[in-house]
Amino acid sequence: MNWRKGAAVAVAIGTAALLAACGTNNGGAGAAAQSSPQQASGEIVFWSFLKGSDAVAAAFEKTHPGIKVKFETQAGGPDYYTKLSNAVKSGAVPDVAVAEYTRLPEIVSLGGAQDLTPAAGALVEKTFPEPIRQLVTLGGKTWGVPRDAAPMLYYYRKDFFAAHGLTPATTWDEFRALAAKVVKADRKARAAAYLSGDANLLTDLSWQAGAHWFGTDGDAWTVNVDDAASKKVVNYWQGLAKDHLVGTFPTYADEFWQGVQSNKVVGYVCASWCAGGLQATVPGQTGKWAVAELPSWDGKPASAMWGGSSFIIPKGAKNAAAAQTFINWITTDPTGIAAWYGSGTSSMYPASPELLPVAKKSFNTKFFGGQDIFEVGTRSYTAVTGGWTWGPAMSVTDKALLDRIGKIQAGSLGDALAGVDAETTKALQSRGLNVRG
């Protein structure tokens, strides 16, 4: 697992650079630790946008009759984190909230989460591999309990590929040639989707290519959004889009799914969690899809994570003890993990390797013709490129990137990354964080 080499980077984050703004983050903190999970009872409010969350809440109540879960589904995306931040400020917070690894450093740095070290630190230490632990460990403290990793995959229509003698590419050069063959085979079909309204695709493919957007130098952050690896990635995808070799969609939403339904999208890059959404959205294409590992730049296995989630107890939560009992169960108990798959829409890759057999047993892969998609996910997971760290102002970084990636017909996206770098640096400095280099 080559991304283990990057764990030291994450360890360094937080000693001074990250947590400069959260030294007073104790509002309610420790409450979870001070109450025994066995004594926990009452009602908790649960915020999540993850598929299967309602089924998990219901399953938990059956096994924990003393705790009632009031589940409130959320829309996800940037607006969710703004809502969560506003809730912390107003005091009207849920007791449990999902927090993607991407955004956890920002939530912590702004004082929005409780320190879970006393109540869950040992559990996290025992259950999860180091690279995952480091995603929820900041400043030597545990701020969330991981649920899933999110290794990136290439989804493709195996019936279309078989009909035209195509195979998934192993390098990005091969992928461009593959994309051209797809268009030649069917002028309306495309081998991938370029997202003009979602920063994750280019961000995570930059990670795969070896980019290092954030790091630390002593007590300061370093920001390198416009590094060579990132420029290579955004220019490559801009070229694919300009040459009409990939379809262009704002996000993986209605317009994209219409393309899938009408056989115009015959491949796309996404993460492990996308499998559940795919089979739920186009059930009529059962047996026609398969997954493969991502192409890489040099032909050697390389990947990244698109998302991945943990659960936190927001600052000000009223029932932290029950919340902690709930979080522990839904992330580490085999019954709790199995419950995620209860709705048939979750295909999450569990963050704990010991829970992988539960995932394989619980997720029906009929849609993929019985392919062991978790085996492919494991190969991708173990090939995640090391050295990546999420920054403490990803809301700003994402928006700055979104402001630019939709303008693929104007200028160079590679050059535009300098503007993303500058806006991110300014945001960190405005929050009182040192930035060097």
Side-chain angles (χ1 to χ4, degrees):
M1 182 178 291
N2 58 16
W3 70 313
R4 293 181 186 278
K5 297 176 182 176
V9 175
V11 171
I13 303 295
T15 49
L18 172 63
L19 301 178
C22 66
T24 58
N25 178 31
N26 290 316
Q34 294 166 6
S35 299
S36 167
Q38 287 73 28
Q39 298 173 346
S41 62
E43 181 179 274
I44 57 174
V45 177
F46 171 37
W47 281 13
S48 175
F49 49 77
L50 300 174
K51 296 182 183 302
S53 294
D54 52 345
V56 166
F60 176 82
E61 288 186 328
K62 290 181 180 178
T63 57
H64 298 74
I67 301 175
K68 180 175 177 56
V69 182
K70 183 180 180 183
F71 172 57
E72 298 179 357
T73 188
Q74 304 298 313
D79 289 346
Y80 165 73
Y81 292 102
T82 299
K83 180 179 180 179
L84 181 60
S85 177
N86 290 336
V88 171
K89 293 174 184 175
S90 69
V93 293
D95 298 284
V96 173
V98 61
E100 295 164 290
Y101 303 129
T102 315
R103 293 299 184 92
L104 185 58
E106 184 165 18
I107 294 171
V108 173
S109 69
L110 295 175
Q114 294 193 24
D115 174 12
L116 304 185
T117 308
L123 177 71
V124 171
E125 175 73 19
K126 178 183 69 175
T127 307
F128 303 100
E130 184 177 4
I132 291 292
R133 291 203 307 269
Q134 298 306 334
L135 294 172
V136 298
T137 304
L138 306 164
K141 297 179 179 179
T142 300
W143 299 93
V145 181
R147 183 195 75 139
D148 68 309
M152 297 181 77
L153 299 167
Y154 179 63
Y155 292 77
Y156 68 100
R157 282 282 297 272
K158 63 180 180 181
D159 60 330
F160 182 93
F161 275 49
H164 298 288
L166 305 176
T167 57
T170 58
T171 70
W172 287 115
D173 284 343
E174 290 178 3
F175 187 83
R176 183 179 174 86
L178 169 67
K181 291 178 181 177
V182 167
V183 174
K184 185 176 181 180
D186 182 341
R187 65 182 181 84
K188 293 183 179 179
R190 296 295 183 272
Y194 173 84
L195 302 183
S196 59
D198 187 326
N200 287 288
L201 178 65
L202 296 181
T203 299
D204 298 326
L205 289 178
S206 296
W207 174 357
Q208 185 220 14
H212 301 284
W213 285 10
F214 301 96
T216 56
D217 181 5
D219 64 349
W221 280 90
T222 58
V223 181
N224 295 292
V225 177
D226 59 341
D227 62 9
S230 304
K231 289 180 179 177
K232 177 174 64 177
V233 169
V234 299
N235 286 334
Y236 173 84
W237 281 84
Q238 184 174 28
L240 291 178
K242 279 187 172 181
D243 293 340
H244 305 289
L245 296 178
V246 298
T248 300
F249 304 92
T251 62
Y252 288 147
D254 293 347
E255 185 179 347
F256 168 79
W257 289 118
Q258 290 168 8
V260 173
Q261 185 70 51
S262 60
N263 304 318
K264 294 178 181 177
V265 175
V266 297
Y268 65 104
V269 173
C270 199
S272 49
W273 45 264
C274 298
L278 177 60
Q279 71 171 16
T281 308
V282 286
Q285 295 181 1
T286 295
K288 296 182 178 180
W289 285 86
V291 298
E293 294 174 75
L294 288 186
S296 69
W297 289 99
D298 60 4
K300 298 178 181 177
S303 188
M305 285 170 44
W306 184 330
S309 57
S310 66
F311 287 99
I312 65 171
I313 300 178
K315 179 183 178 182
K318 297 178 177 59
N319 194 349
Q324 192 67 62
T325 300
F326 179 68
I327 290 175
N328 293 355
W329 190 81
I330 65 174
T331 56
T332 66
D333 189 287
T335 305
I337 289 296
W340 284 105
Y341 304 98
S343 66
T345 57
S346 177
S347 58
M348 64 98 167
Y349 187 95
S352 169
E354 294 183 1
L355 295 171
L356 189 57
V358 178
K360 288 189 175 186
K361 181 179 179 181
S362 304
F363 183 77
N364 187 341
T365 58
K366 179 181 178 182
F367 184 85
F368 297 93
Q371 181 186 16
D372 188 349
I373 63 172
F374 289 97
E375 191 274 335
V376 183
T378 298
R379 292 204 302 272
S380 177
Y381 178 67
T382 56
V384 172
T385 301
W388 181 265
T389 297
W390 292 110
M394 286 307 300
S395 58
V396 175
T397 306
D398 282 354
K399 185 178 184 308
L401 189 56
L402 282 173
D403 288 343
R404 292 163 174 82
I405 62 176
K407 303 172 183 175
I408 60 173
Q409 301 300 333
S412 166
L413 289 186
D415 294 340
L417 290 177
V420 180
D421 192 293
E423 286 191 34
T424 301
T425 298
K426 183 178 179 181
L428 266 61
Q429 292 171 331
S430 69
R431 295 181 184 185
L433 300 173
N434 295 326
V435 181
R436 188 170 298 146

